[in-house]
Amino acid sequence: MRALAPPRHVAIIMDGNGRWAKERGLPRTLGHRQGVEAVRRAVRTAIELKITYLTIFSFSSENWKRPADEVDDLMGLMKRFIRRDLVELHEAGVCIRVIGQRQHVDSELTKLIDDAVELTKGNNLLTLVIAFNYGSRTEIAGAARKLAAEVAAGKLDPSAITVERMANALDTSGIPDPDLLIRTSGEMRLSNFLLWQTAYSEFVFLDCYWPDFDKAAFEGAIHEFRSRERRFGGLTQRSTA
């Protein structure tokens, strides 16, 4: 069996920051800070491996249920990541795209996100998609409302609602579906992440916590992906090349 080509698009559920910290007797906030370092490593590795899309689950819409001080720290980390890394990412040719809702996000962070997206929109070496305040069910419901509004306005016939049109109404419009989804920390579920987009993705679940995710772990997941046979419901292998 011929090995698959490297994945074009990798999505990552970055899980285990809190447990990483707890096992070391450290505050959860320090686990999140170490998680940001792992993000930086993942971006560098994606560039080295010539992956063209990397999507990371930064903040779930369900994460608002966490203690207020932890939520504030996560918001602060997002701000610091943009302020510290934006110039380097831009110079490296990284295009930043942020998906998710803007509700509850303060105006300072919203402006930082908008400025980062605007500055890097012309870059094409790697598209870094940050799922922030994101929930897939909310995304799908929003896409359905968009199409329903077009139908109600007489601009769209219901029979014209296809899989492709639905996909174009999602936050990820224009982004290819992930070939590979990686989740760290040993958990084996999607947690409301890219439910539509991962219909035919390969899943790799790693036991390591996200702060320990390094180049070797990334390359190991890629190796596992390339060893598989993807059929997409058919009988023959299809490459992602």
Side-chain angles (χ1 to χ4, degrees):
M1 180 180 69
R2 183 170 61 90
L4 288 175
R8 181 185 183 192
H9 182 180
V10 176
I12 304 178
I13 299 175
M14 308 179 296
D15 195 17
N17 290 343
R19 279 167 285 168
W20 180 91
K22 183 178 179 180
E23 289 185 4
R24 290 160 177 77
L26 301 170
R28 289 176 60 87
T29 53
L30 187 54
H32 294 312
R33 285 173 170 75
Q34 290 301 310
V36 173
E37 292 300 322
V39 170
R40 295 184 176 111
R41 291 194 298 268
V43 170
R44 289 194 295 268
T45 300
I47 292 172
E48 291 176 19
L49 297 177
K50 301 187 185 307
I51 293 165
T52 50
Y53 293 87
L54 176 66
T55 298
I56 57 174
F57 202 4
S58 173
F59 187 85
S60 164
S61 54
E62 283 80 28
N63 286 158
W64 293 105
K65 301 173 186 176
R66 295 187 177 187
D69 57 345
E70 183 173 349
V71 171
D72 289 344
D73 187 68
L74 289 168
M75 293 293 154
L77 283 175
M78 182 67 166
K79 292 175 183 178
R80 288 193 289 275
F81 175 74
I82 294 174
R83 288 179 176 133
R84 172 179 166 177
D85 293 73
L86 179 57
V87 172
E88 181 179 349
L89 291 169
H90 179 48
E91 291 177 349
V94 176
C95 172
I96 296 174
R97 184 160 167 180
V98 180
I99 61 174
Q101 303 297 304
R102 295 300 180 92
Q103 288 94 329
H104 309 301
V105 180
D106 68 63
S107 58
E108 179 186 9
L109 180 51
T110 298
K111 185 176 188 309
L112 284 171
I113 290 171
D114 290 341
D115 289 347
V117 170
E118 178 64 25
L119 176 66
T120 64
K121 65 181 181 181
N123 297 336
N124 56 18
L125 183 64
L126 169 71
T127 297
L128 175 62
V129 184
I130 303 174
F132 185 78
N133 195 21
Y134 172 86
S136 189
R137 287 180 172 180
T138 298
E139 175 194 26
I140 293 170
R145 283 194 299 273
K146 290 179 188 177
L147 297 180
E150 291 185 34
V151 171
K155 298 178 180 179
L156 178 66
D157 189 283
S159 64
I161 299 177
T162 61
V163 169
E164 292 75 20
R165 191 179 290 272
M166 183 70 177
N168 287 333
L170 296 171
D171 293 354
T172 52
S173 176
I175 299 172
D177 291 340
D179 302 295
L180 169 64
L181 181 138
I182 300 169
R183 180 166 186 158
T184 56
S185 87
E187 303 292 346
M188 298 183 184
R189 57 181 178 272
L190 285 175
S191 297
N192 199 20
F193 181 55
L194 300 181
L195 300 179
W196 176 283
Q197 297 87 343
T198 56
Y200 286 102
S201 301
E202 295 294 323
F203 294 173
V204 172
F205 300 106
L206 302 177
D207 289 331
C208 70
Y209 295 134
W210 176 247
D212 293 325
F213 186 83
D214 56 13
K215 182 178 180 181
F218 205 152
E219 290 179 332
I222 299 295
H223 177 75
E224 169 64 21
F225 166 83
R226 297 191 69 189
S227 72
R228 297 181 183 178
E229 185 174 355
R230 304 182 77 196
R231 296 179 184 272
F232 298 88
L235 297 176
T236 57
Q237 177 186 4
R238 286 173 54 185
S239 169
T240 58

